[in-house]
Amino acid sequence: MLFARPATRRHDRDTISPLRRATRPAALLTALVSLVLLMFMTTEAPTAAPHAPRKAPDKAMLTKGATLFRQHCGGCHTAGTTGNDIMPLTRHLTVMGLEAYIDGQGIIFEHMPRFDGTPEDRDAIAAWVMVTLHGKPYADPPSAKLPQLPFAIPAFDMQKDEYVLLTWNTLGMKCITDCDAAYSYLPPGNALGAVLIKRGEKPEMVTEGVRLTYEAPEGFRFPSRHTEYWKYSASISGRQLPADTSTTGRGMDGTLDFNPKSATFEAAGIPVVPYSDDGTINPYPLFSVKAVDRVTGKQLARTEVVVPVGTEMSCWRCHGGGWARPEGTGVSLTTARSILTVHDKRSGTDLVSRADAGKPVLCQSCHPDPLLNAKGDPARLNLPTALHGFHVNYLKGRGAEVCANCHPDSNAGFTRCLRDSHGKAGQTCVSCHGYLEDHALSLLKKEAELGKTRTALFMRNVRPRLVDSVDAINARTPWAQQPDCLTCHKETYERPAKTASAFNVWTKDGSGLYRARKEMTGKVPCIACHNSPHATHPSDNPFGRDRDAVQVLQYQKLNAAIGAKGNCKVCHGPATKLTPDMSPHHPMR
């Protein structure tokens, strides 16, 4: 029954009733095939478990917390008695939320002095207040056992089939906000890309005379039944959208359009959600993609591809409220209201009253965001910078587990989206993006160069951890400038060192992103053979190891990049005499 639909609607109507009433083409992937080798590597780069389970506090820790509360907090606060009682001020928080509040006090807002104790002191005080006084749980609930979902491999005849269809999702790690009655900054959706290759000694990229289509699996074709985004789309997106249709006009089936600039077929804005009609949650639905001859209608090729999307932003870890669904996903409206209340208090907005009136906002209506191509108010920080730049002041000194508080990559969570060769090698977000301090500073520094407000306020008490000073941080624009794969995967196809880190070496612009690059012939996208970001082959999907590997199993019966282990015949045909050391794409082994 773990994955059955709850008896009531998943949004908590009682606790939030007010809301409910109202490129370098010749050398790009030259060594990216070495992603295949990463499964055999270990690393000494900065790593940490994406989610380290908390140990419940013992009696000594709680006793110490009571003493430390009197020393550090007792001058202003009481605990359950008259005066400035700490109880109502913290009742909406979690243990981690109070830890973060103690860490951040006096840094951005100066109504309280800075905490001068140790991290251990902070944790003891937070545990005493939240566990002893409030009776809240300290540890996370145990992670659920995930279902291993069946799937079928489409047919492919190595000797006879003329075409190979390679397709991918462009964002291998994608969330939706899914608290649309309150606010939205990640509407439903992901995107697909594809290439069609006519097999032969000299394979041809087919760009004309064909039609490529995609289709959602049965049970995933009506996302409007499972999320309230469409109910509030007029307020969130500026116009009332037809059910199950995105702002780009796409639905759960449709056509991939040819983009002459990238020379690939694309479908952006497919409004996928992780909820199925049978009440289960599946962040990895498999879409069918087909190529047909425009004149004859004959099917030339068919394959399947994961189009991932999760709802695992665990804002509740600080803001309280819990998950929206008992399986461990979704932003509950109790949590969402807590966030809006803080935003209104600190930024002078009226987001709660707007939500109460049934007119929730899209965060990008104020904050620019390259991901959605949202212009917002150009004087304000872009959304990724605002989120990371503010919260880093409350969450400093932590490891990769802090990333999993907002991104669906916890190895104890429901989605567990770090399912690629890097994750197998023990690498985490830190290896490429840096610690939260490093990541936030790279974004803030770019906004500071543009003269944006509040950057100095957010940066003044944050110090980088992977470089010596803020001066050494290279500024970047989110989404357009990401860690450069060739920082570690050298063009000479060297195995990355154990201490390899891609932090602080950014692509110049969007043309250098992994999903936009091509191999040495300048024709085949790296992503077509190696698979999506955070799911590169050999992939290991938590809902079934080979769920991300349907295509490579279809074409070469091997969970590895297309062409690996001498499988040149996938594209070059069964009669090819090519060997890996003759590869025109990049050095192979």
Side-chain angles (χ1 to χ4, degrees):
M1 295 299 292
L2 179 61
F3 301 97
R5 182 183 299 279
T8 59
R9 292 292 299 274
R10 57 193 164 83
H11 293 318
D12 184 352
R13 294 183 180 271
D14 292 333
T15 57
I16 193 163
S17 55
L19 280 179
R20 306 305 304 138
R21 296 189 189 103
T23 19
R24 291 161 35 196
L28 303 185
L29 213 173
T30 305
L32 284 177
V33 74
S34 57
L35 292 167
V36 176
L37 300 178
L38 275 172
M39 70 178 291
F40 303 111
M41 293 174 52
T42 58
T43 179
E44 296 174 1
T47 60
H51 180 79
R54 289 173 170 263
K55 293 182 179 180
D58 56 23
K59 183 177 180 180
M61 181 180 182
L62 296 174
T63 301
K64 178 183 177 183
T67 301
L68 290 169
F69 177 85
R70 290 191 292 270
Q71 292 175 358
H72 289 276
C73 315
C76 297
H77 292 286
T78 62
T81 61
T82 58
N84 193 11
D85 187 1
I86 196 69
M87 296 292 285
L89 298 174
T90 57
R91 64 188 173 197
H92 65 292
L93 297 175
T94 62
V95 176
M96 182 177 172
L98 185 52
E99 290 172 359
Y101 195 91
I102 293 171
D103 261 345
Q105 67 187 37
I107 292 180
I108 293 179
F109 306 109
E110 298 179 346
H111 60 288
M112 294 179 66
R114 294 191 191 183
F115 181 65
D116 60 1
T118 66
E120 293 74 21
D121 294 343
R122 170 204 68 197
D123 293 351
I125 293 172
W128 181 72
V129 172
M130 301 311 298
V131 177
T132 301
L133 299 186
H134 284 288
K136 293 193 176 184
Y138 186 83
D140 293 337
S143 57
K145 183 178 181 181
L146 303 182
Q148 300 299 288
L149 302 177
F151 60 90
I153 303 295
F156 176 72
D157 190 321
M158 181 65 76
Q159 300 300 318
K160 298 179 180 179
D161 283 350
E162 293 185 73
Y163 296 90
V164 167
L165 175 60
L166 301 177
T167 185
W168 59 89
N169 69 86
T170 56
L171 293 175
M173 179 169 66
K174 175 68 168 64
C175 255
I176 62 175
T177 316
D178 196 31
C179 54
D180 303 294
Y183 63 85
S184 176
Y185 61 83
L186 288 172
N190 208 324
L192 283 176
V195 292
L196 181 65
I197 300 172
K198 187 172 184 179
R199 303 173 69 212
E201 191 65 28
K202 293 183 178 179
E204 300 176 22
M205 304 296 289
V206 182
T207 61
E208 297 178 340
V210 293
R211 182 170 180 262
L212 270 62
T213 62
Y214 67 89
E215 183 178 16
E218 195 69 39
F220 280 85
R221 297 175 183 174
F222 303 100
S224 63
R225 296 177 182 177
H226 309 294
T227 179
E228 294 186 308
Y229 172 73
W230 283 272
K231 179 178 179 180
Y232 297 102
S233 63
S235 177
I236 293 172
S237 301
R239 65 184 189 274
Q240 186 63 50
L241 298 173
D244 311 314
T245 303
S246 72
T247 56
T248 64
R250 294 198 178 274
M252 298 306 289
D253 55 67
T255 302
L256 288 88
D257 300 322
F258 183 71
N259 182 342
K261 184 176 180 180
S262 65
T264 63
F265 293 86
E266 300 173 355
I270 301 170
V272 60
V273 301
Y275 308 125
S276 177
D277 291 345
D278 64 6
T280 60
I281 298 176
N282 176 7
Y284 302 107
L286 279 163
F287 278 54
S288 176
V289 181
K290 299 177 183 178
V292 300
D293 186 291
R294 280 190 178 274
V295 176
T296 66
K298 178 185 177 181
Q299 179 174 299
L300 305 177
R302 185 185 83 84
T303 191
E304 292 195 353
V305 61
V306 158
V307 182
V309 61
T311 59
E312 205 175 325
M313 287 177 285
S314 53
C315 310
W316 67 268
R317 294 187 188 279
C318 288
H319 291 274
W323 294 110
R325 282 179 171 248
E327 295 90 341
T329 66
V331 179
S332 73
L333 290 181
T334 302
T335 302
R337 187 181 184 88
S338 173
I339 293 169
L340 295 186
T341 300
V342 173
H343 196 290
D344 286 350
K345 180 178 179 181
R346 300 304 185 191
S347 299
T349 50
D350 60 349
L351 300 181
V352 170
S353 63
R354 289 191 185 193
D356 285 348
K359 296 183 178 180
V361 303
L362 181 73
C363 299
Q364 289 91 336
S365 62
C366 288
H367 293 279
D369 189 356
L371 175 64
L372 299 185
N373 196 28
K375 299 186 181 303
D377 179 353
R380 297 183 186 275
L381 296 178
N382 64 55
L383 188 62
T385 304
L387 289 170
H388 292 93
F390 177 82
H391 287 97
V392 68
N393 286 277
Y394 293 85
L395 295 167
K396 292 182 291 187
R398 291 165 171 81
E401 77 280 356
V402 77
C403 306
N405 294 332
C406 299
H407 300 278
D409 64 321
S410 167
N411 60 8
F414 193 84
T415 306
R416 308 182 195 183
C417 65
L418 294 183
R419 56 199 194 279
D420 67 355
S421 46
H422 297 85
K424 272 191 157 185
Q427 295 187 328
T428 68
C429 315
V430 174
S431 301
C432 292
H433 300 278
Y435 290 101
L436 178 58
E437 293 92 328
D438 307 303
H439 178 65
L441 285 169
S442 70
L443 301 176
L444 285 163
K445 193 171 179 180
K446 183 66 174 182
E447 294 289 80
E449 291 175 357
L450 298 174
K452 296 292 189 73
T453 60
R454 308 193 85 177
T455 53
L457 174 65
F458 289 168
M459 292 175 69
R460 66 184 182 186
N461 291 297
V462 180
R463 300 292 176 266
R465 294 169 63 183
L466 292 183
V467 295
D468 293 334
S469 67
V470 175
D471 290 340
I473 291 282
N474 292 323
R476 71 182 184 93
T477 300
W479 298 106
Q481 293 179 282
Q482 297 280 37
D484 192 331
C485 301
L486 295 180
T487 305
C488 300
H489 301 278
K490 304 297 183 182
E491 296 175 9
T492 54
Y493 189 51
E494 297 170 353
R495 185 190 298 264
K498 292 182 179 181
T499 55
S501 172
F503 172 73
N504 218 28
V505 183
W506 318 125
T507 57
K508 181 180 179 181
D509 51 37
S511 65
L513 296 174
Y514 165 64
R515 63 177 180 268
R517 284 179 158 167
K518 296 183 178 179
E519 39 65 81
M520 291 172 64
T521 71
K523 295 180 179 180
V524 184
C526 308
I527 195 172
C529 296
H530 289 273
N531 206 29
S532 307
H534 306 106
T536 52
H537 300 310
S539 53
D540 191 352
N541 191 292
F543 282 71
R545 182 182 184 274
D546 293 325
R547 195 168 183 82
D548 278 289
V550 170
Q551 289 172 86
V552 290
L553 293 176
Q554 175 185 5
Y555 296 127
Q556 61 187 24
K557 296 180 171 58
L558 175 68
N559 186 345
I562 291 288
K565 305 297 183 182
N567 277 294
C568 306
K569 58 187 176 181
V570 171
C571 296
H572 292 268
T576 184
K577 294 181 173 57
L578 280 176
T579 60
D581 58 358
M582 299 165 60
S583 170
H585 305 288
H586 51 68
M588 299 176 69
R589 55 186 284 181

